[in-house]
Amino acid sequence: MTRASISFKEAFYWDSYEKMSDHRTKGWFLVDSPTDVALIVSTYLLMVWMGPKIMKKRKPFKMKGVLIVYNFIMMLLNFLILKDIFIGSSRLSYRYLCHRSKLEFNPEEDRVMNAMWWFYISKCIEFTDTLFFILRKKNDQLSVLHVYHHSTMFPICWTSMKWYPSGAAVRLPMLNCFVHVVMYFYYGLSAIGPSVKKLLWWKRYLTLLQLIQFVISLSWSTYSLLQGCNHPAWIDVTNILYMCSFLFLFGRFYFSKYLNNVKSKL
């Protein structure tokens, strides 16, 4: 059985997927078993459900200093992940449109996979975004879009780490890290206070940048699927459907928050 093929009958058995997994990341922290991922996501959803109830009769926490430090640390983490993936993949002459991954061990492949692992773990760290909303009683921020985004990115990134932690799979994390560098830079400045926040007129363009990211990601996965780039087809199909859901949710948010406001002023 190749990594890119699986029969209809075998699709119902975990062992079939396990055989297709990338042996290079076997034994890595939070990579082997889906159980750990499911428990973490379940804990996150429990926090979303119980957190506002626990905070209901409590005063919101003032977290200015924590937010500034957290956002700039996350900006730096995403920059370092982007840097390592880019350097490693460039030295390996990756073709980002359709790179045929080789199951090999070498320093640059290790560099790429380590960065991909940190990208995966960063999606778990980003659950802290939601925790801060809860502690500050910003419950209006706990939208369907926010919770869906955070609760699904972690397991989606896990599938990449387990089955395809290098090759053409690096293009999406690179793009996402770039967007998050810009995003956390904005939120870090915003946390400083009103004196800086009033200068951040470009907030709407963060959402627009995310929408562009989803279109590019959707196009890449569609191309990989059509070209048969030695990439598991089910991963491409999953990503196409996932990007379509993001385009719908983020597109609806952008339209309601920015375009509707413009129309109402005309």
Side-chain angles (χ1 to χ4, degrees):
M1 183 189 302
T2 65
R3 295 174 66 218
S5 64
I6 187 169
S7 70
F8 179 78
K9 182 178 179 180
E10 289 168 329
F12 293 95
Y13 297 96
W14 171 252
D15 286 348
S16 301
Y17 287 97
E18 186 68 37
K19 290 175 183 177
M20 294 195 305
S21 64
D22 195 312
H23 64 272
R24 294 174 299 174
T25 58
K26 188 174 180 59
W28 287 30
F29 183 60
L30 293 181
V31 173
D32 281 352
S33 173
T35 304
D36 296 331
V37 178
L39 286 173
I40 290 172
V41 173
S42 297
T43 302
Y44 169 77
L45 294 175
L46 182 63
M47 177 185 73
V48 172
W49 178 52
M50 289 298 298
K53 298 179 186 296
I54 294 172
M55 288 296 299
K56 188 174 182 178
K57 295 183 180 180
R58 291 174 169 82
K59 292 183 179 181
F61 285 81
K62 295 181 179 180
M63 310 183 70
K64 178 178 178 179
V66 174
L67 288 172
I68 293 171
V69 172
Y70 169 76
N71 282 298
F72 283 116
I73 286 177
M74 291 303 293
M75 182 191 74
L76 178 61
L77 175 60
N78 277 274
F79 173 77
L80 293 175
I81 294 170
L82 172 60
K83 175 183 71 69
D84 276 357
I85 295 178
F86 177 75
I87 292 175
S89 59
S90 296
R91 289 177 178 173
L92 291 165
S93 301
Y94 274 19
R95 297 180 301 280
Y96 298 116
L97 275 179
C98 191
H99 184 80
R100 299 184 182 278
S101 179
K102 299 177 181 178
L103 299 180
E104 59 185 4
F105 291 94
N106 64 61
E108 296 306 329
E109 279 284 343
D110 288 345
R111 181 175 194 163
V112 169
M113 289 190 296
N114 282 326
M116 290 284 283
W117 181 83
W118 273 108
F119 176 74
Y120 160 56
I121 294 299
S122 75
K123 299 308 167 189
C124 184
I125 298 173
E126 286 176 11
F127 290 156
T128 310
D129 295 358
T130 307
L131 176 61
F132 288 155
F133 284 146
I134 293 171
L135 294 177
R136 295 163 63 217
K137 300 186 76 168
K138 300 285 186 178
N139 295 336
D140 58 315
Q141 299 290 335
L142 302 178
S143 62
V144 172
L145 171 59
H146 175 86
V147 176
Y148 173 76
H149 180 198
H150 281 71
S151 63
T152 55
M153 275 298 292
F154 183 59
I156 287 290
C157 291
W158 170 73
T159 63
S160 181
M161 266 322 292
K162 187 167 182 65
W163 284 280
Y164 208 69
S166 61
V170 305
R171 61 201 180 189
L172 305 183
M174 286 175 63
L175 182 60
N176 188 255
C177 281
F178 170 75
V179 171
H180 278 70
V181 167
V182 178
M183 185 185 76
Y184 280 112
F185 175 65
Y186 172 88
Y187 288 130
L189 293 177
S190 179
I192 294 174
S195 60
V196 174
K197 193 173 182 178
K198 64 183 180 180
L199 303 176
L200 301 176
W201 51 267
W202 41 279
K203 182 179 180 179
R204 65 177 295 178
Y205 296 105
L206 287 177
T207 306
L208 191 59
L209 183 62
Q210 287 175 311
L211 286 169
I212 293 170
Q213 171 194 196
F214 303 143
V215 171
I216 294 173
S217 178
L218 176 63
S219 301
W220 270 339
S221 290
T222 302
Y223 181 85
S224 293
L225 187 63
L226 294 176
Q227 293 296 316
C229 298
N230 193 32
H231 193 165
W234 63 271
I235 290 182
D236 281 325
V237 171
T238 299
N239 192 63
I240 289 170
L241 295 174
Y242 192 46
M243 290 302 107
C244 285
S245 70
F246 272 165
L247 280 171
F248 172 74
L249 291 170
F250 277 84
R252 186 174 64 175
F253 168 78
Y254 185 83
F255 181 83
S256 63
K257 186 172 181 63
Y258 300 113
L259 298 186
N260 265 355
N261 287 342
V262 172
K263 287 183 178 181
S264 65
K265 292 177 182 178
L266 295 178

